Each structure stands twice: as C-alpha cells, then as structure tokens.
Amino acid sequence: MSRLRVALAKGRLYQPSIARFRAAGVEPANDAGRRLLIPSSDPAIEFLAVKPGDVPVYVESGAADLGITGTDVLRETGADVLEPLELGFGFCRLVVASPGSAPYPQLEGGITARVATKYPRLAQAHFGAAGRPVDIIQVNGSVEVAPLLHLSHWIVDLVDTGNTLRANGLVERETILECGAVLVANRASQKLKLEEYLRLMEKLERAGQPPE
Ligand code: PRP
C-alpha cells in the first residue's frame, strides 16, 4: 500500500479542509502538537500543514501527492498540477478596489497607478490585458491599509464578506477572478498511486454531497 501525503493550507481553508476529510472518514491525529507531518486515522493518508502559498509548490514537486488550495493561489503560482475536484467551500473573489472618496480609474495628472497586492502576477496580467500600465507593489498581508497610507492608489485583494474593504474606506471596482477551494494532485503520483488516489477521491466527493 502506498501512502498519500496531503498538503493543507494553514489559514482560512484549514478547518473546512479538515472537516471535509473528517466527513470522508479520515481523522487527523489530534495529538500531533507542533508536528507538521500529521498522521491520520487512515494509515494510507498523512497530512502536511503549510502556508497557503506553498501548497502548489509541494504538490507540483511531488513532495506532497495531493493538496487543498484556493484557485487564487493556484492561478498566481501557475503550478502544473491536476485539479480533480472543486470542493464547494472557501468562495471569495479577487478584485480591484480603491478609496471610495477618489474617482476611479482616473488619477490626477495622468500618473501611473500603484497597485498593492499579494497577487503580483494576476494583477499584472489583469491590467496588462486591458493595456492599462500600473506599478505593482508586492505586500504579504493587510493589503487594505496601503491606500490609506499612500503606499498605493489601488489594491488587488480577496474579498469575502467585504467587511475589510468597508472598514478601510475602499470600494470594489472590478472582479478579476471568482475563487474557491480545489483539490490538486501531483501528475505523476496520480498515476503511480492510482488505487489509493481513486479511493480517496470517491470518499471526498461523496462527503461533499448534500444528504438525500
Ligand atoms: C483576507 C483578504 C482580505 C480579507 C477579506 O485576508 O486578504 O484582507 O481576508 O475578507 P472579508 O471580505 O470577509 O473582510 P486574511 O484574513 O487572510 O489576512 P491578510 O490580510 O493578512 O492576508
């Protein structure tokens, strides 16, 4: 029997991911403490908890066989992985937002907009495709503060409830991407561990269906 190693993103997708595995009958060990490789009730499955942005890296390289990540992170990294299952949670959208008090998209004096984001590739691609030059400023969190402090004019960031935008005087201007959690798989290990892979896929799929 081969073991499947599953990379889970720490953060907002972590608990729903664990809940889906639990519903599929795979319980992570609760005595794992600070261990980052977590055994489960199924000897064929172990978990790995990593930063959200690292899930595609682990899965693409084969260090993990499977992973759960958001389509935002997946498209940003451009990782070459299989995407066998949309999981139906973690819905949000990647948007352009700017201060409600300032006109958009015009900027005084025709200057080039500075855009703060954790998603430099997706942001650049969005504005580039529209032929709108921008200067991207990469930050790693708390993006909404950037316009308040004049670090940037606009931001590109995730919106779920919209509370963070509103609390910081920002208004959603354009949607770049609708996002959600997906199961991703390493191309080679999907073939090499096909039996275990199909068994887990079926359980996860069934666990995600509404009760009859
Ligand atoms: C995410 C995202 C927004 C916020 C959106 O940040 O980057 O800041 O959540 O959620 P809302 O629309 O429900 O307010 P996260 O909490 O992951 O922290 P971060 O800013 O450090 O990335």
Side-chain angles (χ1 to χ4, degrees), residues 99-117:
S101 55
Y104 178 91
Q106 306 80 17
L107 288 179
E108 273 178 31
I111 57 172
T112 302
R114 295 191 305 277
V115 180
T117 186

Side-chain angles (χ1 to χ4, degrees), residues 8-200:
L8 299 179
K10 292 192 264 186
R12 62 175 55 215
L13 294 183
Y14 192 74
Q15 286 306 335
S17 301
I18 292 288
R20 174 61 67 84
F21 273 95
R22 195 169 278 142
V26 184
E27 184 79 31
N30 57 13
D31 59 352
R34 295 285 298 165
R35 267 190 298 164
L36 297 175
L37 273 179
I38 307 162
S40 81
S41 55
D42 183 336
I45 295 167
E46 72 176 351
F47 296 106
L48 170 70
V50 297
K51 293 262 187 195
D54 292 341
V55 170
V57 180
Y58 277 88
V59 176
E60 184 179 32
S61 69
D65 303 294
L66 293 161
I68 292 182
T69 184
T71 36
D72 51 321
V73 168
L74 193 55
R75 302 289 171 256
E76 177 66 20
T77 60
D80 180 22
V81 292
L82 299 172
E83 297 174 41
L85 192 59
E86 287 182 13
L87 292 163
F89 59 80
F91 294 116
C92 56
R93 53 198 184 278
L94 186 69
V95 307
V96 183
S98 73
S101 55
Y104 178 91
Q106 306 80 17
L107 288 179
E108 273 178 31
I111 57 172
T112 302
R114 295 191 305 277
V115 180
T117 186
K118 288 184 282 189
Y119 301 88
R121 279 171 51 143
L122 292 175
Q124 190 69 67
H126 173 73
F127 291 107
R132 298 155 66 193
V134 293
D135 289 330
I136 302 290
I137 300 174
Q138 185 169 358
V139 292
N140 289 310
S142 306
V143 185
E144 291 86 352
V145 81
L148 287 175
L149 302 178
H150 306 291
L151 173 66
S152 72
H153 301 96
W154 308 335
I155 65 166
V156 164
D157 199 19
L158 292 183
V159 176
D160 177 10
T161 61
N163 289 340
T164 314
L165 286 187
R166 276 190 293 279
N168 292 285
L170 299 173
V171 172
E172 213 173 310
R173 304 294 189 180
E174 299 165 36
T175 299
I176 298 179
L177 184 67
E178 299 284 348
C179 310
V182 282
L183 186 76
V184 292
N186 176 268
R187 288 186 180 279
S189 80
Q190 187 261 357
K191 293 195 186 80
L192 294 170
K193 304 180 184 178
L194 188 63
E195 200 177 313
E196 292 81 2
Y197 173 90
L198 290 177
R199 195 167 64 88
L200 177 59

